């Protein structure tokens, strides 16, 4: 409809369609029409008073069957849409496009890196947020018509990794996760915690860890053996967690396999005179006032964190020839990515302009910040476990379900509670995750949205029994206010997708789905669907709602339930 208005306007007003699109707005109240065009933008050009311009335009604009009226109201030109035609066209479009409604065609290749854990401990709440944001953005980009590669980086070497190895060697007594029946990443993480505890009183431990790292770098057989064993435990546990969340990767990178190649880029930069050797032999770059001096290689020749990233970016470009690459990484690393991108630009790599850091804020629990070194971390697994219990409790309050069905539903509900709570908040902000709020079936939550979807499904199931045929009819008899609201909201969906894509912000879709669910509930309470004369059109409307809600939730990574 907005397109149509822009088209009509473009015939009478000398502005291009893009400009017009940005100018046409939704007026504050429905008496003022469905769309409005502010005529004061033309005052300079036409050297006329805007009220006059509006007046004159009402006479020039040719009405169509879709636009039933134009009216001047002060400097605004207000358009009134024929709601019946809007409703019929839109519902027809949604029902025939099905899950393609709102899909875009951008056709770019985008690499998105997310998760990227260290392999010395289980995933924590920050990783949870990371994955949910990463996966949702990947889906939004896919729905925008792009080819997406999801990649993960295992930071599997370095001082933090040998710390858990050393503690295991010293105090582990050959225990294994199989023997202790612990989740294998938790098992590894416990030794990391133990190391930090012991290191408080035993000052030699830090030095021993550095010695172990040197041995690892020189390929010491025993150290490498231990490393392989503990890393495979850590990774096995980590994979277990992200699979529960429905996350899959196209490729995994391992720091241990690439960190040496980073050193070649350092050589390249030295030759080009971009990097310098300091008196102590460390390689540095001076990035001026804002970013300062940055060490790229330590004085003993060992790599630092950024060394791997220099090479990794290059490697991925060789592999994928991406148009864009997005790194989903916590805001603690804002500086790191500024430096990384700056250096790649200075090295004149062709892809350096195509890199983006999607930064997100910390996750807190009502009790306070998570701390990894003291072992007071709340693991992602623990949070999922907690939410599962809450979901089960809620379900038991409401229904009598068979064990297996209870399991299936509580998993879907628990995950939707977590995902929605994390995604509705803008990535940059910190989050205080509140389990009870997140699960509330009646709040601004994932389960509430699932519930509205399940209700729509149930209406359609009943109708099927009722009518036998499921032929949905799109002819409108008469429209009630709540139907109009629902139609309008459904019509917004393609714009919402576009906005979420441009801003790389799943929160836009989360907010939209919540509004959509609320409007659907209003509709449902005010408009009789089954057994009314308007019933056939209303069923079609319910089906259209179902399609859009399902897609919205899917883009947030949330699974729908046909019954709840
Ligand atoms: N493993 C790192 C950490 O836990 C994050 C890695 C982010 N990705 C990257 N390419 N640097 O802090």
């Amino acid at each position: 409809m907005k397109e149509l208005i822009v088209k009509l306007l473009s015939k009478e007003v000398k502005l291009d369609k893009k400009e017009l699109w940005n100018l046409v707005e939704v007026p504050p109240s429905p008496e003022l029409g469905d769309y409005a065009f502010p005529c004061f933008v033309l005052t300079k050009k036409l050297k006329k008073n805007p009220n006059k311009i509006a007046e004159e335009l009402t006479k020039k604009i040719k009405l169509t069957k879709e636009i039933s009226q134009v009216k001047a109201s002060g400097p605004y030109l207000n358009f009134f849409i024929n709601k019946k035609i809007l409703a019929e066209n839109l519902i027809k479009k949604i029902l025939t496009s099905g899950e393609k409604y709102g899909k875009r065609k951008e056709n770019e290749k985008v690499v998105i890196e997310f998760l990227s854990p260290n392999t010395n401990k289980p995933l924590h709440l920050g990783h949870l947020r990371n994955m949910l944001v990463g996966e949702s953005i990947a889906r939004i980009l896919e729905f925008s018509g792009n080819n997406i590669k999801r990649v993960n980086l295992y930071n599997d070497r370095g001082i933090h990794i040998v710390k858990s190895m050393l503690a295991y060697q010293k105090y582990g007594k050959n225990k294994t996760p199989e023997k202790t029946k612990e989740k294998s990443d938790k098992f590894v993480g416990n030794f990391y915690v133990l190391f930090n505890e012991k290191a408080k009183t035993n000052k030699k431990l830090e030095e021993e860890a550095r010695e172990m790292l040197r041995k690892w770098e020189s390929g010491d057989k025993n150290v490498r053996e231990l490393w392989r064993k503990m890393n495979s435990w850590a990774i096995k546990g980590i994979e277990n967690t992200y699979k529960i969340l429905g996350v899959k990767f196209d490729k995994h990178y391992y720091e241990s396999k690439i960190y040496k190649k980073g050193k070649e880029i350092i050589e390249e930069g030295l030759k080009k005179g971009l990097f310098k050797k300091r008196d102590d032999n460390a390689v540095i770059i001076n990035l001026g006032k804002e970013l300062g001096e940055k060490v790229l290689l330590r004085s003993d020749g060992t790599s630092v964190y950024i060394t791997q990233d220099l090479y990794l970016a290059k490697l991925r470009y060789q592999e994928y020839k991406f148009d864009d690459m997005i790194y989903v990484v916590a805001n603690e690393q804002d500086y790191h990515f500024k430096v990384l991108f700056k250096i790649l630009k200075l090295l004149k790599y062709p892809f350096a302009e195509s890199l983006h850091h999607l930064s997100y804020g910390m996750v807190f629990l009502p009790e306070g910040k998570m701390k990894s070194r003291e072992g007071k971390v709340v693991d992602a697994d623990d949070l999922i476990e907690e939410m599962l219990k809450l979901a089960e409790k809620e379900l038991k309050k409401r229904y009598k379900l068979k064990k297996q069905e209870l399991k299936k539903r509580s998993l879907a509900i628990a995950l939707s509670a977590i995902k929605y709570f994390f995604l509705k908040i803008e990535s940059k902000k910190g989050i205080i995750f509140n389990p009870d709020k997140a699960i509330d079936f009646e709040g601004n939550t994932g389960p509430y949205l699932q519930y509205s979807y399940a209700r729509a499904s149930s209406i359609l199931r009943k109708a099927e029994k009722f009518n036998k045929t499921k032929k949905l009819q799109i002819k409108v008899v008469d429209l009630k206010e709540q139907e109009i609201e629902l139609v309008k909201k459904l019509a917004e969906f393609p714009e919402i997708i576009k906005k979420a894509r441009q801003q790389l912000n799943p929160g836009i879709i989360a907010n939209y789905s919540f509004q959509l669910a609320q409007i659907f509930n209003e509709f449902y309470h005010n408009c009789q669907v089954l057994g009314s004369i308007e019933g056939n059109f209303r069923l079609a409307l319910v089906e259209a709602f179902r399609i859009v809600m399902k897609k919205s939730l899917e883009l947030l990574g949330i699974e729908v339930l046909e019954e709840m």
Side-chain angles (χ1 to χ4, degrees):
M1 285 291 155
K2 188 169 171 181
E3 246 164 68
L4 209 81
I5 287 164
V6 167
K7 205 168 134 195
L8 289 182
L9 274 168
S10 70
K11 286 185 190 150
E12 310 301 335
V13 172
K14 290 198 175 51
L15 288 172
D16 70 35
K17 286 195 175 157
K18 233 204 181 130
E19 279 174 277
L20 285 170
W21 182 272
N22 291 330
L23 288 168
V24 171
E25 57 187 48
V26 177
S29 81
E31 302 90 70
L32 296 171
D34 301 293
Y35 288 101
F37 174 69
C39 294
F40 40 78
V41 299
L42 300 170
T43 39
K44 263 202 185 146
K45 238 186 218 168
L46 301 176
K47 300 203 175 60
K48 272 185 205 161
N49 137 344
N51 297 29
K52 187 109 203 265
I53 301 175
E55 232 3 278
E56 288 175 5
L57 279 173
T58 57
K59 287 177 199 123
K60 285 193 200 154
I61 299 258
K62 293 195 184 57
L63 295 181
T64 62
K65 61 179 190 320
E66 290 94 350
I67 313 290
S68 54
Q69 206 185 3
V70 270
K71 258 199 209 155
S73 161
Y76 286 94
L77 184 65
N78 295 337
F79 293 83
F80 293 80
I81 285 171
N82 180 331
K83 306 291 179 330
K84 271 193 189 177
I85 294 185
L86 165 69
E88 285 179 9
N89 288 352
L90 183 79
I91 301 307
K92 198 192 281 166
K93 179 158 185 194
I94 297 176
L95 295 196
T96 50
S97 319
E99 59 170 59
K100 292 210 174 71
Y101 174 61
K103 195 167 161 59
R104 303 159 47 74
K105 296 182 188 146
E106 291 187 340
N107 221 354
E108 293 204 331
K109 184 155 216 174
V110 186
V111 172
I112 177 165
E113 184 207 289
F114 59 103
L115 188 57
S116 299
N118 300 337
T119 57
N120 62 340
K121 52 182 191 257
L123 302 180
H124 55 63
L125 299 189
H127 291 115
L128 204 52
R129 185 172 196 184
N130 181 313
M131 276 188 279
L132 302 181
V133 169
E135 177 60 27
S136 178
I137 286 182
R139 290 178 184 214
I140 293 168
L141 289 169
E142 263 163 356
F143 196 54
S144 303
N146 302 299
N147 178 358
I148 306 303
K149 297 289 170 201
R150 294 164 171 80
V151 301
N152 168 43
L153 165 69
Y154 281 120
N155 286 116
D156 62 346
R157 51 133 246 134
I159 194 72
H160 48 297
I161 308 293
V162 292
K163 283 180 179 175
S164 44
M165 287 161 56
L166 189 64
Y168 179 73
Q169 197 181 52
K170 282 184 171 295
Y171 319 108
K173 302 188 192 122
N174 285 324
K175 278 191 251 169
T176 63
E178 290 83 23
K179 280 189 215 154
T180 64
K181 297 210 162 48
E182 273 165 298
K183 193 162 172 284
S184 57
D185 49 346
K186 182 79 179 168
F187 179 89
V188 174
N190 287 342
F191 285 101
Y192 184 65
V193 173
L194 188 62
F195 176 94
N196 287 304
E197 264 166 29
K198 298 275 184 185
K200 274 186 206 155
T201 49
N202 183 350
K203 296 290 169 218
K204 272 188 285 178
L205 277 183
E206 293 282 348
E207 182 44 40
E208 281 183 54
R210 277 195 291 277
E211 176 55 24
M212 195 178 219
L213 183 59
R214 278 190 285 273
K215 281 188 174 166
W216 182 90
E217 293 225 1
S218 63
D220 179 285
K221 219 177 135 230
N222 289 335
V223 173
R224 286 282 175 146
E225 186 58 36
L226 176 61
W227 172 73
R228 253 189 297 276
K229 186 161 75 179
M230 291 189 75
N231 257 345
S232 70
W233 284 334
I235 290 176
K236 192 174 150 209
I238 288 170
E239 293 197 335
N240 200 302
T241 304
Y242 72 63
K243 280 185 184 154
I244 291 177
L245 292 162
V247 169
K248 282 193 199 107
F249 291 99
D250 295 294
K251 182 150 185 171
H252 298 281
Y253 293 87
Y254 298 83
E255 182 183 354
S256 59
K257 290 189 187 154
I258 55 165
Y259 77 103
K260 279 193 178 149
K261 300 265 194 191
K263 296 186 188 179
E264 292 168 16
I265 296 186
I266 306 292
E267 286 304 318
E268 186 188 326
L270 275 171
K271 268 191 212 128
K272 287 187 177 165
L274 216 56
F275 307 155
K276 285 195 185 63
K277 266 217 169 111
R278 216 163 49 183
D279 291 346
D280 64 350
N281 257 343
V283 178
I284 56 148
I285 182 166
N286 195 329
L287 291 167
K289 243 195 183 153
E290 195 205 341
L291 297 174
E293 180 182 293
K294 172 79 190 163
V295 173
L296 304 174
L297 213 56
R298 290 199 194 92
S299 48
D300 62 1
T302 57
S303 303
V304 289
Y305 180 54
I306 202 167
T307 324
Q308 56 149 3
D309 269 320
L310 289 168
Y311 175 68
L312 192 55
K314 186 176 164 183
L315 176 66
R316 287 182 184 153
Y317 187 69
Q318 284 165 356
E319 289 176 342
Y320 293 116
K321 290 279 176 296
F322 52 76
D323 297 298
D324 275 306
M325 174 150 75
I326 300 168
Y327 297 82
V328 183
V329 183
N331 61 9
E332 294 161 309
Q333 298 192 24
D334 286 356
Y335 172 74
H336 170 76
F337 282 98
K338 275 193 192 143
V339 170
L340 175 66
F341 297 168
K342 179 83 193 181
I343 295 177
L344 291 167
K345 276 179 200 161
L346 290 171
L347 286 166
K348 298 211 164 57
Y349 285 122
F351 55 83
E353 302 286 339
S354 319
L355 307 175
H356 313 274
H357 173 207
L358 202 144
S359 164
Y360 60 86
M362 298 272 285
V363 180
F364 306 88
L365 286 173
E367 291 89 48
K369 193 176 146 174
M370 315 173 287
K371 269 275 171 69
S372 93
R373 234 158 281 138
E374 277 118 63
K376 271 190 238 140
V377 203
V378 173
D379 296 341
D381 294 325
D382 296 340
L383 188 88
I384 296 170
E385 201 52 48
E386 159 95 10
M387 294 309 287
L388 269 172
K389 274 191 208 136
L390 289 180
E392 226 181 272
K393 209 171 99 194
E394 283 298 316
L395 279 174
K396 278 184 177 157
K397 265 197 248 165
R398 286 155 212 258
Y399 318 100
K400 264 210 151 59
L401 295 169
K402 292 225 176 72
K403 216 177 174 179
Q404 204 162 2
E405 187 62 22
L406 182 70
K407 261 221 154 104
K408 183 190 135 199
R409 285 193 207 180
S410 36
L411 181 63
I413 291 169
L415 293 181
S416 104
I418 298 173
K419 291 177 180 184
Y420 185 80
F421 198 98
F422 277 89
L423 291 174
K424 76 174 174 186
I425 294 166
E426 198 192 330
S427 311
K428 286 196 172 35
K429 292 188 184 150
I431 285 186
I432 301 175
F433 185 86
N434 184 326
D436 296 313
K437 273 198 183 148
I439 202 86
D440 184 357
F441 278 36
E442 271 122 50
N444 179 1
T445 66
Y448 170 75
L449 301 180
Q450 284 177 315
Y451 194 75
S452 74
Y453 174 87
R455 172 175 276 169
S457 291
S458 137
I459 297 172
L460 290 167
R461 270 195 309 273
K462 278 188 198 140
E464 233 172 311
K465 279 189 205 149
F466 206 67
N467 293 348
K468 287 253 162 45
T469 65
K470 204 188 159 186
K471 207 151 173 43
L472 299 170
Q473 207 178 318
I474 302 175
K475 266 251 128 346
V476 176
V477 181
D478 201 8
L479 283 173
K480 271 187 140 178
E481 188 192 319
Q482 292 83 4
E483 291 174 289
I484 295 173
E485 285 305 305
L486 185 53
V487 167
K488 277 186 168 175
K489 203 74 204 168
L490 291 169
E492 254 180 55
F493 185 64
E495 269 292 295
I496 292 292
I497 297 295
K498 195 166 154 193
K499 215 162 137 192
R501 189 274 175 259
Q502 279 164 350
Q503 300 179 18
L504 296 179
N505 179 5
I508 290 174
I509 295 174
N511 274 330
Y512 170 81
S513 356
F514 180 57
Q515 290 166 5
L516 182 64
Q518 283 180 311
I519 291 173
F520 177 73
N521 275 350
E522 283 294 306
F523 157 77
Y524 173 81
H525 287 299
N526 289 289
C527 306
Q528 186 189 353
V529 178
L530 298 172
S532 63
I533 34 164
E534 302 92 343
N536 272 328
F537 168 71
R538 288 184 179 162
L539 279 176
L541 193 51
V542 172
E543 174 64 3
F545 163 78
R546 229 176 123 255
I547 289 171
V548 174
M549 182 53 94
K550 183 174 183 183
K551 181 55 76 180
S552 301
L553 291 176
E554 189 187 305
L555 292 173
L556 301 174
I558 297 175
E559 196 192 331
V560 295
L561 290 168
E562 296 303 325
E563 273 179 278
M564 203 165 139

